[in-house]
Amino acid sequence: MVLNNELDSKAANTIILACNAILGAIRTDEQERRLCELEKMLSDGGYLNE
């Protein structure tokens, strides 16, 4: 779209930055979910003393 002059390069860069921010948030949420699962597994097995 940028090559065909259908989209300004600044707008394209803004879209890319927004997409990267969203992907980063998704990765963070996934890591948090996996960490919670691991903590639950460890506490159910008696490995964590909280």
Side-chain angles (χ1 to χ4, degrees):
M1 291 174 76
V2 173
L3 292 175
N4 296 333
N5 290 326
E6 296 173 6
L7 184 63
D8 180 51
S9 63
K10 287 183 181 181
N13 284 335
T14 301
I15 292 169
I16 290 170
L17 287 172
C19 289
N20 284 334
I22 292 168
L23 288 173
I26 291 169
R27 282 188 206 108
T28 300
D29 287 345
E30 178 65 17
Q31 288 175 345
E32 178 67 24
R33 183 190 62 79
R34 292 178 68 195
L35 182 59
C36 287
E37 286 179 9
L38 180 58
E39 287 175 341
K40 184 177 180 341
M41 288 171 38
L42 290 174
S43 67
D44 288 347
Y47 298 108
L48 287 181
N49 297 322
E50 295 184 41

